[in-house]
């Protein structure tokens, strides 16, 4: 994955959930660069909202999403459960790959967990398009902590569908 800088968290972030985990509509600020399609998609994403994810940036082919690891996200070894790390990466991937009006879904993904995340860590997932041909795409997602430690790397494959937009 290519090294990159990410935008600092600021008022432009889209908060997709309350701290209590209750899903809600998103604040949509223009400087997040979300398309209308991705704005509608994330506004209806109750799963990401329940996990307290915040969209920092969503633009064609690239997205940045953050999530703070809570106590209810820990496994029996007191580290973030891999499923929650995967969910964060998946949300960033979904935003990056839905750059057209076509509904695009993840067709498959492989993840490598490189270091543990702990309660209170703010994780950042940065998804970037690597290739897009026909209806198929290839994306890389890096999940890291605020201090730059890499938690996981995901390689995702996407496919545009004929599904109608919700």
């Amino acid at each position: 994955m290519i090294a990159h800088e990410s935008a600092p968290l600021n008022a432009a972030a889209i908060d997709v959930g309350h701290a209590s985990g209750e899903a809600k509509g998103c604040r949509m600020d223009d400087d997040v660069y979300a398309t209308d399609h991705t704005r509608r998609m994330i506004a209806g994403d109750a799963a990401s909202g329940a996990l307290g994810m915040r969209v920092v940036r969503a633009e064609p082919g690239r997205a940045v999403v953050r999530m703070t690891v809570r106590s209810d996200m820990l496994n029996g070894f007191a580290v973030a459960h891999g499923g929650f790390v995967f969910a964060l990466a998946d949300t960033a991937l979904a935003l990056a790959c839905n750059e057209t009006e076509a509904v695009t879904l993840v067709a498959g993904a492989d993840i490598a967990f490189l270091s543990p995340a702990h309660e209170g860590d703010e994780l950042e997932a940065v998804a970037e398009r690597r290739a897009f041909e026909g209806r198929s795409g290839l994306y890389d997602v890096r999940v890291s902590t605020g201090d730059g430690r890499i938690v996981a790397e995901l390689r995702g494959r996407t496919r545009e569908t004929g599904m109608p937009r919700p």
Side-chain angles (χ1 to χ4, degrees):
M1 183 170 209
I2 298 172
H4 55 271
E5 293 181 27
S6 59
L9 183 61
N10 59 38
I14 300 171
D15 181 3
V16 295
H18 293 291
S20 68
E22 180 183 322
K24 67 165 190 160
C26 299
R27 286 190 325 268
M28 299 294 177
D29 298 325
D30 290 337
D31 53 354
V32 173
Y33 306 113
T35 65
D36 287 340
H37 179 55
T38 55
R39 288 172 189 256
R40 286 189 305 273
M41 182 185 80
I42 202 67
D45 187 344
S48 296
L51 295 176
M53 293 184 197
R54 299 171 309 281
V55 179
V56 177
R57 175 158 296 175
E59 57 191 69
R62 186 169 192 277
V64 179
V65 181
R66 292 187 181 151
M67 176 182 78
T68 301
V69 177
R70 303 183 313 230
S71 63
D72 63 342
M73 297 174 171
L74 302 179
N75 65 20
F77 297 110
V79 298
H81 188 288
F84 292 111
V85 175
F86 189 98
L88 174 65
D90 183 60
T91 296
L93 172 56
L95 285 163
C97 76
N98 274 282
E99 55 191 89
T100 69
E101 289 297 310
V103 172
T104 303
L105 300 175
V106 176
D110 299 298
I111 192 165
F113 297 103
L114 302 170
S115 67
H118 301 93
E119 183 176 357
D121 282 347
E122 182 177 50
L123 302 181
E124 178 178 84
V126 179
E128 295 180 314
R129 179 185 349 99
R130 295 293 172 233
F132 189 82
E133 288 294 328
R135 296 181 0 198
S136 298
L138 185 66
Y139 294 78
D140 285 335
V141 185
R142 172 171 285 171
V143 179
S144 58
T145 61
D147 62 4
R149 182 172 43 84
I150 300 170
V151 173
E153 293 268 351
L154 179 139
R155 164 76 38 115
R157 297 166 305 282
T158 65
R159 186 80 170 163
E160 286 186 352
T161 72
M163 293 172 49
R165 286 180 291 139

